[in-house]
Amino acid sequence: MNSTFPAAAPPVREPLHAPVAHLVRGGAVEGVHYGSVVVLGADGEVRLGLGDIEAACYPRSALKPVQAVAMVRAGLPLEGELLSLAAASHSGEERHLAGTRRILAGAGLTEDHLCNTPDLPFGRAVRETWAREGRPPSRLAQNCSGKHAAMLLTARLNGWSLGDYLDPGHPLQRAIAKTVEDLTGQRVARVTVDGCGAPLFAVSLHGLARAAARITTALPGTPEARVADAMRDHPGMASGSGRDVAALMGAVPGLLVKDGFEGVQVAALPDGSAVAVKISDGADRARVPVTAAALAHAGVDPAALTAFAGEPLLGGGLPVGGIRPVPALEPLSGTAARH
């Protein structure tokens, strides 16, 4: 799509979500997760759409790769693990904290310059350790600190003000909004504040998948390709130990994956096939199995996705069921194209 003329903003409405996963216990459906799913082919056409893929939604942290592309376009010089960290929802492990300090040091800044919301580490094991040690919430430990440090470095390199870098009218945030519209191919529908304090842009699920496909199909050396390469080469910096994002990127060669709060996930392959998922109730237990099923529709070998079928549902300590994607999302037959 011509980036000079993005399409109109997606409609802001109550999404017309559809069932995307069943909670099955003892062979009967005990619960239903509603949501929306889009699968794009390598040609950019919609191969599968469930629910409401065109309504405006907040991608939450699934938009971080796009924000990182915007910063690289604006001169952010990071590469490798530090660029992956700039697009991360990290677990707060020591490597993440050290990496964030390195980004800040590159701008001559410290943790005190961060304006994200203080929090305990996102990773469960790390959070529990912090709690046992009585350590307080920290801006550095908050899962978006890498992104915020990169925002500060980008602002510093461009001579932009630092104290108000989260203001939607700040040159940095205007540049990010422009990149969001460029890569999604549509105008931003709404701007609000994310949990970390940064501006959050509403786009459609379809637009989010388009953006991921644009990033993974970009020419080598472009800002898009630099972000994709960094995240795929350093998936642990983009997430953390034991996280499903890192595991998916390890299981499927060339796959770029990013999750977001409230049940959002986006993933794209090097050929431009892409999926985007929104679970309406925000349940993580449905997010990963639904994403795996959608990736099978995108051409990924289901055998590579068996570890992402979801945790078993227990009864009396024994497996009696689990999360099952709805029939429309069941993996394709063996005749489907494979990556």
Side-chain angles (χ1 to χ4, degrees):
M1 179 173 293
N2 188 329
S3 61
T4 307
F5 301 99
V12 178
R13 63 189 178 210
E14 181 178 350
L16 304 173
H17 291 308
V20 294
H22 294 150
L23 178 66
V24 178
R25 181 187 293 270
V29 175
E30 183 177 29
V32 180
H33 288 287
Y34 283 73
S36 296
V37 179
V38 61
V39 177
L40 301 183
D43 57 1
E45 295 298 315
V46 175
R47 298 297 174 85
L48 176 71
L50 289 180
D52 197 343
I53 67 171
E54 303 297 353
C57 71
Y58 291 121
R60 303 299 299 270
S61 287
L63 199 62
K64 282 178 178 172
V66 178
Q67 292 171 308
V69 168
M71 290 187 275
V72 174
R73 288 181 176 184
L76 182 68
L78 301 179
E79 301 284 354
E81 63 178 10
L82 294 186
L83 183 53
S84 182
L85 183 59
S89 298
H90 65 71
S91 291
E93 299 164 22
E94 184 52 43
R95 57 177 166 167
H96 302 128
L97 308 188
T100 300
R101 291 190 189 99
R102 286 169 59 193
I103 296 172
L104 288 167
L109 304 173
T110 69
E111 178 181 354
D112 292 338
H113 292 90
L114 294 170
C115 292
N116 57 320
T117 306
D119 199 358
L120 294 174
F122 179 69
R124 179 181 299 177
V126 188
R127 178 182 287 252
E128 290 173 352
T129 298
W130 274 54
R132 285 196 303 270
E133 295 174 349
R135 300 173 70 177
S138 152
R139 296 187 193 277
L140 198 66
Q142 196 268 340
N143 77 89
C144 302
S145 65
K147 177 183 76 175
H148 282 255
M151 286 181 170
L152 283 166
L153 177 55
T154 304
R156 171 73 90 187
L157 292 172
N158 282 279
W160 298 330
S161 57
L162 302 181
D164 61 342
Y165 75 92
L166 296 183
D167 189 314
H170 190 278
L172 170 67
Q173 300 303 335
R174 293 203 307 269
I176 290 174
K178 182 178 179 181
T179 299
V180 170
E181 293 187 334
D182 174 29
L183 295 182
T184 63
Q186 60 188 182
R187 299 286 185 191
V188 168
R190 291 283 171 88
V191 180
T192 187
V193 182
D194 209 340
C196 66
L200 176 62
F201 306 100
V203 296
S204 70
L205 207 61
H206 188 179
L208 180 63
R210 270 197 302 264
R214 289 276 304 277
I215 291 172
T216 58
T217 57
L219 293 174
T222 61
E224 294 89 335
R226 285 170 55 189
V227 170
D229 289 344
M231 294 180 69
R232 291 181 297 206
D233 290 345
H234 303 277
M237 289 297 278
S239 55
S241 301
R243 295 271 296 279
D244 57 81
V245 166
L248 265 171
M249 285 195 273
V252 182
L255 184 67
L256 178 70
V257 185
K258 187 67 190 75
D259 56 347
F261 278 155
E262 296 303 319
V264 182
Q265 186 129 344
V266 65
L269 289 149
D271 69 354
S273 302
V275 307
V277 170
K278 163 67 180 175
I279 306 299
S280 123
D281 62 3
D284 260 3
R285 71 179 185 182
R287 173 181 56 84
V288 177
V290 169
T291 298
L295 285 169
H297 277 272
V300 175
D301 187 347
L305 301 168
T306 54
F308 306 98
E311 296 296 323
L313 180 68
L314 302 181
L318 299 175
V320 293
I323 294 289
R324 303 285 183 267
V326 295
L329 273 172
E330 288 178 353
L332 300 178
S333 69
T335 60
R338 302 289 184 224
H339 288 279

